[in-house]
Amino acid sequence: MSSEIMDAYWQAPPIARTLATAIFVTSISVHFGLLSYSWFYFTEDRLFKFPPEIWRLATNFFVSAPQFGIILDPYFIYQNLSQLELSNPKFNRKEDVLWYLITVGGFIILLNRWLLGGAFFLGGLTTAICYTAMQDQRGQKSNFYFFTVPAQLVPYCMILSSLLMNPSAIPLQITGILAAHLHDFLYRIWPEFGGGRNLLKAPAFVSSLITTPRVFQREYGTAIRAPGPAAAAGRTTGASTGSVLPDSWKTRGSGHRLG
């Protein structure tokens, strides 16, 4: 049973899986007193000290609301971010999803520090991801708790539920919707309808942040990650990527040297 659970965990979309896990583990550690809040909150003066505490740009999104938030925040993050990672036509590559998180997170920090203050912004990011995931599902139905609603209304249902459970979270959630809409405008609406260029195209360095080695050495053997599209194309065109030929080459007959 445990091995099946771990297999399912590792087969989940990697960015959604990693972020949801980070939120869940960090939130439990902070809310139960194992780690201090002071290590994770965001404030500008910590960025301009020496050495700069730049990790706070990310870690302020790792602490959920207390009580039910420890479960619900990672759940909503995983559910909606998985849709962006697997099926959203705007994000064809993993680096596009990662750059989305970076840019929208930056917008949320700027909006909140400018308009509202605050030091933890996960509620805004959760609503932003939900807004983006549901925009391409207009006309479809989606489940929110025990209700079935039009997909594009789900982020607003999240705000309505906060009105009943935690009204103080609503301004943060609104900034999340504003940040997601700003991203959509600069990424899609302006290029498609305004004749401009995509202002939020993922830079090249983001690809290196999610690159993983193809071969992993383990105590019980060696695991080889399945090759990407480029490597697969190389095999079909006859490009060799190692000293051992793949089995499919055995059916190609004897080779001939050119020149």
Side-chain angles (χ1 to χ4, degrees), residues 171-200:
L172 175 58
Q173 292 176 309
I174 293 175
T175 62
I177 290 181
L178 293 176
H181 185 73
L182 178 58
H183 179 278
D184 191 47
F185 176 81
L186 297 175
Y187 189 94
R188 181 181 62 87
I189 297 176
W190 174 244
E192 290 184 8
F193 303 102
R197 62 186 181 89
N198 183 353
L199 299 178
L200 293 179

mmCIF file of all heavy atoms in Angstrom, residues 171-200:
data_model
loop_
_atom_site.group_PDB
_atom_site.id
_atom_site.type_symbol
_atom_site.label_atom_id
_atom_site.label_comp_id
_atom_site.label_asym_id
_atom_site.label_seq_id
_atom_site.Cartn_x
_atom_site.Cartn_y
_atom_site.Cartn_z
ATOM 1 N N PRO A 171 -9.483 40.662 0.866
ATOM 2 C CA PRO A 171 -8.635 41.591 0.101
ATOM 3 C C PRO A 171 -7.431 40.912 -0.536
ATOM 4 O O PRO A 171 -7.077 41.226 -1.684
ATOM 5 C CB PRO A 171 -8.206 42.617 1.167
ATOM 6 C CG PRO A 171 -9.296 42.587 2.177
ATOM 7 C CD PRO A 171 -9.717 41.157 2.250
ATOM 8 N N LEU A 172 -6.799 39.982 0.154
ATOM 9 C CA LEU A 172 -5.668 39.248 -0.410
ATOM 10 C C LEU A 172 -6.114 38.423 -1.612
ATOM 11 O O LEU A 172 -5.424 38.356 -2.636
ATOM 12 C CB LEU A 172 -5.047 38.355 0.659
ATOM 13 C CG LEU A 172 -3.913 37.430 0.218
ATOM 14 C CD1 LEU A 172 -2.756 38.211 -0.391
ATOM 15 C CD2 LEU A 172 -3.424 36.582 1.390
ATOM 16 N N GLN A 173 -7.276 37.777 -1.517
ATOM 17 C CA GLN A 173 -7.779 36.985 -2.638
ATOM 18 C C GLN A 173 -8.083 37.865 -3.844
ATOM 19 O O GLN A 173 -7.845 37.458 -4.993
ATOM 20 C CB GLN A 173 -9.025 36.213 -2.205
ATOM 21 C CG GLN A 173 -8.749 35.118 -1.193
ATOM 22 C CD GLN A 173 -10.026 34.447 -0.723
ATOM 23 O OE1 GLN A 173 -10.978 35.114 -0.308
ATOM 24 N NE2 GLN A 173 -10.059 33.129 -0.784
ATOM 25 N N ILE A 174 -8.592 39.056 -3.619
ATOM 26 C CA ILE A 174 -8.880 39.975 -4.726
ATOM 27 C C ILE A 174 -7.596 40.368 -5.444
ATOM 28 O O ILE A 174 -7.561 40.440 -6.682
ATOM 29 C CB ILE A 174 -9.648 41.202 -4.210
ATOM 30 C CG1 ILE A 174 -11.051 40.787 -3.740
ATOM 31 C CG2 ILE A 174 -9.745 42.268 -5.294
ATOM 32 C CD1 ILE A 174 -11.841 41.904 -3.100
ATOM 33 N N THR A 175 -6.524 40.604 -4.687
ATOM 34 C CA THR A 175 -5.249 40.920 -5.343
ATOM 35 C C THR A 175 -4.749 39.730 -6.155
ATOM 36 O O THR A 175 -4.073 39.905 -7.174
ATOM 37 C CB THR A 175 -4.170 41.328 -4.324
ATOM 38 O OG1 THR A 175 -3.893 40.243 -3.427
ATOM 39 C CG2 THR A 175 -4.603 42.545 -3.529
ATOM 40 N N GLY A 176 -5.084 38.515 -5.733
ATOM 41 C CA GLY A 176 -4.722 37.350 -6.525
ATOM 42 C C GLY A 176 -5.422 37.342 -7.870
ATOM 43 O O GLY A 176 -4.806 37.037 -8.905
ATOM 44 N N ILE A 177 -6.718 37.670 -7.891
ATOM 45 C CA ILE A 177 -7.451 37.743 -9.154
ATOM 46 C C ILE A 177 -6.886 38.855 -10.030
ATOM 47 O O ILE A 177 -6.725 38.690 -11.252
ATOM 48 C CB ILE A 177 -8.950 37.944 -8.886
ATOM 49 C CG1 ILE A 177 -9.538 36.675 -8.279
ATOM 50 C CG2 ILE A 177 -9.691 38.326 -10.161
ATOM 51 C CD1 ILE A 177 -11.029 36.753 -7.981
ATOM 52 N N LEU A 178 -6.564 40.006 -9.436
ATOM 53 C CA LEU A 178 -5.967 41.101 -10.208
ATOM 54 C C LEU A 178 -4.635 40.687 -10.809
ATOM 55 O O LEU A 178 -4.344 40.990 -11.973
ATOM 56 C CB LEU A 178 -5.778 42.330 -9.308
ATOM 57 C CG LEU A 178 -7.052 43.021 -8.817
ATOM 58 C CD1 LEU A 178 -6.692 44.156 -7.853
ATOM 59 C CD2 LEU A 178 -7.860 43.561 -9.990
ATOM 60 N N ALA A 179 -3.810 39.986 -10.030
ATOM 61 C CA ALA A 179 -2.509 39.536 -10.526
ATOM 62 C C ALA A 179 -2.665 38.541 -11.669
ATOM 63 O O ALA A 179 -1.955 38.600 -12.676
ATOM 64 C CB ALA A 179 -1.698 38.917 -9.386
ATOM 65 N N ALA A 180 -3.618 37.600 -11.535
ATOM 66 C CA ALA A 180 -3.841 36.613 -12.592
ATOM 67 C C ALA A 180 -4.378 37.271 -13.848
ATOM 68 O O ALA A 180 -4.001 36.901 -14.973
ATOM 69 C CB ALA A 180 -4.808 35.539 -12.096
ATOM 70 N N HIS A 181 -5.262 38.253 -13.693
ATOM 71 C CA HIS A 181 -5.797 38.960 -14.860
ATOM 72 C C HIS A 181 -4.705 39.776 -15.541
ATOM 73 O O HIS A 181 -4.641 39.829 -16.784
ATOM 74 C CB HIS A 181 -6.947 39.868 -14.447
ATOM 75 C CG HIS A 181 -7.626 40.529 -15.602
ATOM 76 N ND1 HIS A 181 -8.451 39.854 -16.468
ATOM 77 C CD2 HIS A 181 -7.570 41.809 -16.051
ATOM 78 C CE1 HIS A 181 -8.898 40.692 -17.392
ATOM 79 N NE2 HIS A 181 -8.379 41.879 -17.165
ATOM 80 N N LEU A 182 -3.825 40.401 -14.770
ATOM 81 C CA LEU A 182 -2.706 41.148 -15.341
ATOM 82 C C LEU A 182 -1.788 40.226 -16.131
ATOM 83 O O LEU A 182 -1.323 40.560 -17.228
ATOM 84 C CB LEU A 182 -1.927 41.858 -14.233
ATOM 85 C CG LEU A 182 -0.691 42.657 -14.666
ATOM 86 C CD1 LEU A 182 -1.068 43.732 -15.677
ATOM 87 C CD2 LEU A 182 -0.001 43.269 -13.454
ATOM 88 N N HIS A 183 -1.521 39.039 -15.580
ATOM 89 C CA HIS A 183 -0.698 38.068 -16.298
ATOM 90 C C HIS A 183 -1.361 37.664 -17.604
ATOM 91 O O HIS A 183 -0.717 37.609 -18.661
ATOM 92 C CB HIS A 183 -0.461 36.836 -15.431
ATOM 93 C CG HIS A 183 0.366 35.787 -16.107
ATOM 94 N ND1 HIS A 183 -0.165 34.875 -17.001
ATOM 95 C CD2 HIS A 183 1.706 35.506 -16.034
ATOM 96 C CE1 HIS A 183 0.786 34.077 -17.448
ATOM 97 N NE2 HIS A 183 1.919 34.428 -16.879
ATOM 98 N N ASP A 184 -2.677 37.403 -17.571
ATOM 99 C CA ASP A 184 -3.392 36.995 -18.774
ATOM 100 C C ASP A 184 -3.367 38.100 -19.826
ATOM 101 O O ASP A 184 -3.234 37.828 -21.023
ATOM 102 C CB ASP A 184 -4.837 36.636 -18.415
ATOM 103 C CG ASP A 184 -5.566 35.949 -19.548
ATOM 104 O OD1 ASP A 184 -4.993 35.017 -20.153
ATOM 105 O OD2 ASP A 184 -6.712 36.337 -19.850
ATOM 106 N N PHE A 185 -3.476 39.343 -19.379
ATOM 107 C CA PHE A 185 -3.444 40.474 -20.317
ATOM 108 C C PHE A 185 -2.083 40.578 -20.996
ATOM 109 O O PHE A 185 -2.000 40.697 -22.226
ATOM 110 C CB PHE A 185 -3.769 41.776 -19.584
ATOM 111 C CG PHE A 185 -3.656 42.993 -20.469
ATOM 112 C CD1 PHE A 185 -4.695 43.331 -21.320
ATOM 113 C CD2 PHE A 185 -2.513 43.782 -20.447
ATOM 114 C CE1 PHE A 185 -4.592 44.437 -22.137
ATOM 115 C CE2 PHE A 185 -2.400 44.895 -21.263
ATOM 116 C CZ PHE A 185 -3.455 45.232 -22.112
ATOM 117 N N LEU A 186 -1.011 40.539 -20.219
ATOM 118 C CA LEU A 186 0.333 40.699 -20.788
ATOM 119 C C LEU A 186 0.780 39.472 -21.575
ATOM 120 O O LEU A 186 1.540 39.604 -22.548
ATOM 121 C CB LEU A 186 1.333 40.980 -19.669
ATOM 122 C CG LEU A 186 1.117 42.278 -18.892
ATOM 123 C CD1 LEU A 186 2.111 42.370 -17.739
ATOM 124 C CD2 LEU A 186 1.231 43.491 -19.804
ATOM 125 N N TYR A 187 0.295 38.295 -21.191
ATOM 126 C CA TYR A 187 0.731 37.042 -21.815
ATOM 127 C C TYR A 187 -0.080 36.693 -23.054
ATOM 128 O O TYR A 187 0.471 36.212 -24.049
ATOM 129 C CB TYR A 187 0.630 35.913 -20.791
ATOM 130 C CG TYR A 187 1.254 34.605 -21.224
ATOM 131 C CD1 TYR A 187 2.564 34.292 -20.871
ATOM 132 C CD2 TYR A 187 0.538 33.670 -21.969
ATOM 133 C CE1 TYR A 187 3.143 33.089 -21.253
ATOM 134 C CE2 TYR A 187 1.103 32.473 -22.358
ATOM 135 C CZ TYR A 187 2.412 32.195 -21.997
ATOM 136 O OH TYR A 187 2.980 30.996 -22.385
ATOM 137 N N ARG A 188 -1.403 36.946 -23.014
ATOM 138 C CA ARG A 188 -2.270 36.462 -24.098
ATOM 139 C C ARG A 188 -3.085 37.557 -24.775
ATOM 140 O O ARG A 188 -3.067 37.689 -26.000
ATOM 141 C CB ARG A 188 -3.223 35.395 -23.540
ATOM 142 C CG ARG A 188 -4.157 34.784 -24.563
ATOM 143 C CD ARG A 188 -5.068 33.755 -23.905
ATOM 144 N NE ARG A 188 -5.927 34.348 -22.895
ATOM 145 C CZ ARG A 188 -7.113 34.904 -23.168
ATOM 146 N NH1 ARG A 188 -7.555 34.938 -24.417
ATOM 147 N NH2 ARG A 188 -7.854 35.410 -22.193
ATOM 148 N N ILE A 189 -3.793 38.368 -23.980
ATOM 149 C CA ILE A 189 -4.724 39.329 -24.566
ATOM 150 C C ILE A 189 -4.000 40.386 -25.389
ATOM 151 O O ILE A 189 -4.386 40.680 -26.530
ATOM 152 C CB ILE A 189 -5.573 39.985 -23.466
ATOM 153 C CG1 ILE A 189 -6.431 38.929 -22.774
ATOM 154 C CG2 ILE A 189 -6.453 41.087 -24.043
ATOM 155 C CD1 ILE A 189 -7.237 39.452 -21.602
ATOM 156 N N TRP A 190 -2.951 40.973 -24.844
ATOM 157 C CA TRP A 190 -2.218 42.009 -25.563
ATOM 158 C C TRP A 190 -1.586 41.488 -26.856
ATOM 159 O O TRP A 190 -1.735 42.126 -27.914
ATOM 160 C CB TRP A 190 -1.177 42.638 -24.649
ATOM 161 C CG TRP A 190 -0.255 43.621 -25.310
ATOM 162 C CD1 TRP A 190 1.083 43.514 -25.471
ATOM 163 C CD2 TRP A 190 -0.621 44.880 -25.889
ATOM 164 N NE1 TRP A 190 1.595 44.604 -26.117
ATOM 165 C CE2 TRP A 190 0.562 45.463 -26.388
ATOM 166 C CE3 TRP A 190 -1.829 45.553 -26.048
ATOM 167 C CZ2 TRP A 190 0.573 46.701 -27.037
ATOM 168 C CZ3 TRP A 190 -1.825 46.789 -26.695
ATOM 169 C CH2 TRP A 190 -0.639 47.342 -27.173
ATOM 170 N N PRO A 191 -0.923 40.329 -26.856
ATOM 171 C CA PRO A 191 -0.390 39.827 -28.132
ATOM 172 C C PRO A 191 -1.478 39.460 -29.149
ATOM 173 O O PRO A 191 -1.322 39.717 -30.341
ATOM 174 C CB PRO A 191 0.407 38.582 -27.716
ATOM 175 C CG PRO A 191 0.735 38.798 -26.289
ATOM 176 C CD PRO A 191 -0.443 39.526 -25.722
ATOM 177 N N GLU A 192 -2.581 38.849 -28.696
ATOM 178 C CA GLU A 192 -3.588 38.370 -29.631
ATOM 179 C C GLU A 192 -4.498 39.471 -30.150
ATOM 180 O O GLU A 192 -4.864 39.475 -31.331
ATOM 181 C CB GLU A 192 -4.451 37.284 -28.967
ATOM 182 C CG GLU A 192 -3.712 35.979 -28.727
ATOM 183 C CD GLU A 192 -4.624 34.895 -28.168
ATOM 184 O OE1 GLU A 192 -5.856 35.130 -28.113
ATOM 185 O OE2 GLU A 192 -4.115 33.821 -27.802
ATOM 186 N N PHE A 193 -4.866 40.409 -29.297
ATOM 187 C CA PHE A 193 -5.855 41.406 -29.679
ATOM 188 C C PHE A 193 -5.289 42.826 -29.765
ATOM 189 O O PHE A 193 -5.908 43.690 -30.385
ATOM 190 C CB PHE A 193 -7.027 41.398 -28.691
ATOM 191 C CG PHE A 193 -7.687 40.057 -28.574
ATOM 192 C CD1 PHE A 193 -7.433 39.224 -27.485
ATOM 193 C CD2 PHE A 193 -8.560 39.620 -29.548
ATOM 194 C CE1 PHE A 193 -8.041 37.985 -27.374
ATOM 195 C CE2 PHE A 193 -9.175 38.376 -29.443
ATOM 196 C CZ PHE A 193 -8.915 37.559 -28.361
ATOM 197 N N GLY A 194 -4.137 43.055 -29.168
ATOM 198 C CA GLY A 194 -3.548 44.389 -29.210
ATOM 199 C C GLY A 194 -2.404 44.532 -30.190
ATOM 200 O O GLY A 194 -1.856 45.619 -30.358
ATOM 201 N N GLY A 195 -2.016 43.421 -30.815
ATOM 202 C CA GLY A 195 -0.941 43.487 -31.800
ATOM 203 C C GLY A 195 0.441 43.611 -31.202
ATOM 204 O O GLY A 195 1.410 43.847 -31.929
ATOM 205 N N GLY A 196 0.564 43.444 -29.886
ATOM 206 C CA GLY A 196 1.875 43.547 -29.246
ATOM 207 C C GLY A 196 2.547 42.194 -29.157
ATOM 208 O O GLY A 196 2.110 41.205 -29.752
ATOM 209 N N ARG A 197 3.627 42.155 -28.400
ATOM 210 C CA ARG A 197 4.328 40.889 -28.213
ATOM 211 C C ARG A 197 4.092 40.376 -26.794
ATOM 212 O O ARG A 197 3.673 41.115 -25.905
ATOM 213 C CB ARG A 197 5.832 41.056 -28.459
ATOM 214 C CG ARG A 197 6.524 42.008 -27.519
ATOM 215 C CD ARG A 197 7.980 42.229 -27.927
ATOM 216 N NE ARG A 197 8.675 43.124 -27.004
ATOM 217 C CZ ARG A 197 9.313 42.724 -25.914
ATOM 218 N NH1 ARG A 197 9.340 41.436 -25.602
ATOM 219 N NH2 ARG A 197 9.913 43.587 -25.129
ATOM 220 N N ASN A 198 4.341 39.114 -26.607
ATOM 221 C CA ASN A 198 4.193 38.484 -25.301
ATOM 222 C C ASN A 198 5.235 39.066 -24.348
ATOM 223 O O ASN A 198 6.435 38.836 -24.507
ATOM 224 C CB ASN A 198 4.368 36.971 -25.430
ATOM 225 C CG ASN A 198 4.160 36.244 -24.106
ATOM 226 O OD1 ASN A 198 4.017 36.852 -23.060
ATOM 227 N ND2 ASN A 198 4.156 34.930 -24.172
ATOM 228 N N LEU A 199 4.777 39.806 -23.366
ATOM 229 C CA LEU A 199 5.690 40.480 -22.436
ATOM 230 C C LEU A 199 6.113 39.588 -21.282
ATOM 231 O O LEU A 199 6.959 39.989 -20.476
ATOM 232 C CB LEU A 199 5.026 41.749 -21.891
ATOM 233 C CG LEU A 199 4.650 42.806 -22.936
ATOM 234 C CD1 LEU A 199 3.949 43.981 -22.271
ATOM 235 C CD2 LEU A 199 5.883 43.280 -23.701
ATOM 236 N N LEU A 200 5.539 38.394 -21.191
ATOM 237 C CA LEU A 200 5.852 37.507 -20.069
ATOM 238 C C LEU A 200 6.350 36.153 -20.553
ATOM 239 O O LEU A 200 6.129 35.137 -19.898
ATOM 240 C CB LEU A 200 4.626 37.327 -19.166
ATOM 241 C CG LEU A 200 4.165 38.572 -18.406
ATOM 242 C CD1 LEU A 200 2.937 38.261 -17.578
ATOM 243 C CD2 LEU A 200 5.280 39.121 -17.523
#
